[in-house]
Each structure stands twice: as structure tokens, then as C-alpha cells.
């Protein structure tokens, strides 16, 4: 039995705090902010006592999205490091005004870059065998997406590859080997047998966090997306008992995978 698994757990979208730099500009209430985050994920993936490192983020992804490249500024990018509209198409800021370059620069300096520095520090100072960038997703694609209304799988695993985990082109490497991604998918399929589809790179292939930190260190990265229907009621409320059970099942899936591939 391993005391601590050699995992880095990144939880970038679980926070719901509003940074002081944008207070007074925000058009959303707390309910909308929570809905547009990954609610419950700081608990769901918080395996602090069992893995090498857990790095989470308390600021809402609406105001600082650490899974976007630092040059994706508004208003040119509506889904960049600072959001312009929510998943339902609601303006994030009053009077349709997005923060200027000075504010965005402060958000990068105060929150975005420190989060990535913490990830880099964990990778450099712990024996990390694999890193997981951990998220939740709505049961169906939201109105702002091209595939609006499409039903989503219960689990989506991303390595920036195709639906088998293989590179989509020779010059576009994956962040985790196809064999490992397929083994991880099998582990989730065994745990969630008969409950729904476990997908690879559909609808999410992975984001900036996995790409940037894999490129720097070559440590394998997988983005995990869990369907919120597994722990939320039809009204969107978190059901605590289901959340606790799901946490155990996710941990069982990733450790079962590791026990298989690490031999």
C-alpha cells in the first residue's frame, strides 16, 4: 500500500471569491458566480493526505481563469483569463464594460502567476509521477457553446489528443501517453460501469495548465472533467452524500489506474 501517491492535483476552477480589483464592477450575484465555477471540486479532489501535492485556487474562474493563456485578454477573448459573458450569455460586468489592461495586469500579477508558480514548485520539489487538472462540467453544453444542448459524458479525460488519446497531428504532442490515458479510462469505466459514458478528449481536450506544465517538465498531465449530474440535484444544488461518495470513487479510479501502470 502506498502512503502517498505520486500525484499532483490541480483544482483551478473550484473557487468562488471575487478579487478586490474588480469589486464594484461585477454584474453577477453569488448564485451566478457559483454556477459558473466548478462547485464542490475543492472538496471532490482534495486528496491532501494521500497524494504528494494539491494546488487549488479560491478566486472564481470568471475573474481569473488560470487554465487560459496569459495573453488571452478581454474584450478580444470573451473566454480568456477574464470572462466577458457567463455560460448563459449574461454580461459579467456592469454596462458591458470589461476591465482595462491595468486591472487585468494586476489580476495576472496577484493571482494568475502565483497559482502557476505554486504548480511549478510542486512539480520541482515533489516526486510527481502524473498530474491531474481537475474540473467539473455541466450535464449539457451551455448556450454559449457551439454544441449547445448536447448531452455530455459522465467523465471526460483529456490529453490534447483525439478520442483514443492519440496525437491529432505530428506537431501537436499529447500531454499524457495514449496507453496511460486509455488505462485511466478503463479504470473509470470499471468504477462507473453502467452509469454512463467515459470519454477521451470529448468534449474537453485539456487546457493551458496541462499544456504549459507538461511542456516545461515532461511530467504527464491529464485533465479530468466530472459531470455535475453525479453530485448535484436537478435544481443544481450539491447533494453532500453523493459528493462524498463520488470523491471516494474518483480516488479509487485514479489510484487503480496508477497501481496498474506503475507495476
Amino acid at each position: 500500500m502506498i502512503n502517498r501517491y505520486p500525484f499532483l492535483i490541480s483544482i483551478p476552477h473550484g473557487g468562488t471569491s471575487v478579487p478586490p480589483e474588480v469589486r464594484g464592477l461585477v454584474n453577477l450575484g453569488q448564485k451566478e458566480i457559483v454556477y459558473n465555477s466548478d462547485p464542490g471540486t475543492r472538496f471532490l479532489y482534495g486528496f491532501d493526505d494521500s497524494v504528494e501535492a494539491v494546488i487549488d485556487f479560491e478566486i472564481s474562474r470568471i475573474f481569473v481563469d488560470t487554465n487560459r493563456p496569459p495573453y488571452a485578454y478581454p474584450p478580444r477573448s470573451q473566454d480568456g483569463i477574464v470572462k466577458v459573458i457567463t455560460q448563459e450569455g449574461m454580461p459579467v460586468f456592469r454596462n458591458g464594460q470589461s476591465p482595462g489592461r491595468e486591472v487585468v495586469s494586476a489580476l495576472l500579477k496577484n493571482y494568475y502567476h502565483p497559482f502557476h508558480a505554486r504548480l511549478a514548485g510542486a512539480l520541482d520539489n515533489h516526486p510527481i509521477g502524473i498530474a491531474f487538472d481537475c474540473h467539473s462540467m455541466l450535464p449539457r453544453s451551455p448556450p454559449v457553446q457551439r454544441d449547445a444542448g448536447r448531452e455530455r459524458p459522465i467523465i471526460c479525460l483529456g490529453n490534447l489528443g483525439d478520442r483514443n488519446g492519440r496525437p491529432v497531428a505530428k506537431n501537436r504532442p499529447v500531454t499524457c501517453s495514449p496507453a496511460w490515458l486509455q488505462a485511466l479510462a478503463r479504470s473509470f469505466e470499471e468504477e462507473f460501469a453502467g452509469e454512463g459514458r467515459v470519454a477521451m478528449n470529448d468534449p474537453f481536450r485539456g487546457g493551458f495548465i496541462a499544456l504549459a506544465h507538461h511542456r516545461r517538465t515532461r511530467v504527464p498531465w491529464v485533465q479530468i472533467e466530472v459531470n455535475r449530474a453525479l453530485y448535484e440535484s436537478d435544481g443544481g444544488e450539491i447533494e453532500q452524500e453523493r459528493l462524498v461518495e463520488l470523491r471516494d470513487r474518483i480516488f479509487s479510479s485514479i489510484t487503480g489506474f496508477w497501481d496498474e501502470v506503475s507495476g
Side-chain angles (χ1 to χ4, degrees), residues 13-14 34 36-42 61 134-136 228 231:
H13 290 168
V34 171
N36 283 275
S37 71
D38 287 355
T41 52
R42 297 176 80 186
R61 68 183 294 268
C134 300
H135 302 258
S136 67
R228 282 160 58 168
Y231 65 92

Side-chain angles (χ1 to χ4, degrees), residues 6-68:
F7 300 162
L8 167 59
I9 303 291
S10 162
I11 314 171
H13 290 168
T16 58
S17 296
V18 180
E21 291 84 352
V22 298
R23 285 179 193 158
L25 306 176
V26 179
N27 188 48
L28 308 175
Q30 187 62 20
K31 184 177 181 180
E32 287 81 22
I33 292 172
V34 171
Y35 181 80
N36 283 275
S37 71
D38 287 355
T41 52
R42 297 176 80 186
F43 173 82
L44 196 58
Y45 300 105
F47 308 127
D48 303 63
D49 296 334
S50 305
V51 303
E52 281 294 328
V54 176
I55 308 295
D56 69 358
F57 193 55
E58 66 180 30
I59 301 296
S60 169
R61 68 183 294 268
I62 300 172
F63 310 112
V64 183
D65 192 338
T66 56
N67 203 27
R68 299 293 185 270

Side-chain angles (χ1 to χ4, degrees), residues 146-177:
R146 292 180 182 178
D147 61 346
R150 181 192 175 203
E151 188 174 349
R152 288 173 167 172
I154 59 167
I155 305 289
C156 174
L157 307 173
N159 71 341
L160 293 177
D162 64 16
R163 294 187 184 186
N164 293 302
R166 300 187 182 97
V168 296
K170 287 184 179 180
N171 62 342
R172 298 179 68 181
V174 293
T175 58
C176 175
S177 74

Side-chain angles (χ1 to χ4, degrees), residues 173-253:
V174 293
T175 58
C176 175
S177 74
W180 274 26
L181 194 73
Q182 291 164 13
L184 182 59
R186 287 195 302 272
S187 187
F188 272 102
E189 285 168 349
E190 290 170 6
E191 181 65 44
F192 292 87
E195 297 180 45
R197 182 170 65 99
V198 175
M200 289 179 280
N201 296 305
D202 176 35
F204 297 103
R205 297 177 56 243
F208 179 77
I209 289 172
L211 176 63
H213 292 279
H214 171 71
R215 182 177 288 167
R216 186 182 73 86
T217 65
R218 313 317 295 176
V219 170
W221 275 81
V222 175
Q223 181 168 300
I224 300 176
E225 298 271 358
V226 172
N227 196 307
R228 282 160 58 168
L230 292 173
Y231 65 92
E232 288 185 343
S233 67
D234 291 340
E237 299 295 324
I238 291 177
E239 298 183 352
Q240 196 62 36
E241 288 186 10
R242 294 174 69 197
L243 189 71
V244 170
E245 179 186 4
L246 181 59
R247 170 193 168 97
D248 292 340
R249 298 179 74 188
I250 292 172
F251 190 69
S252 176
S253 297

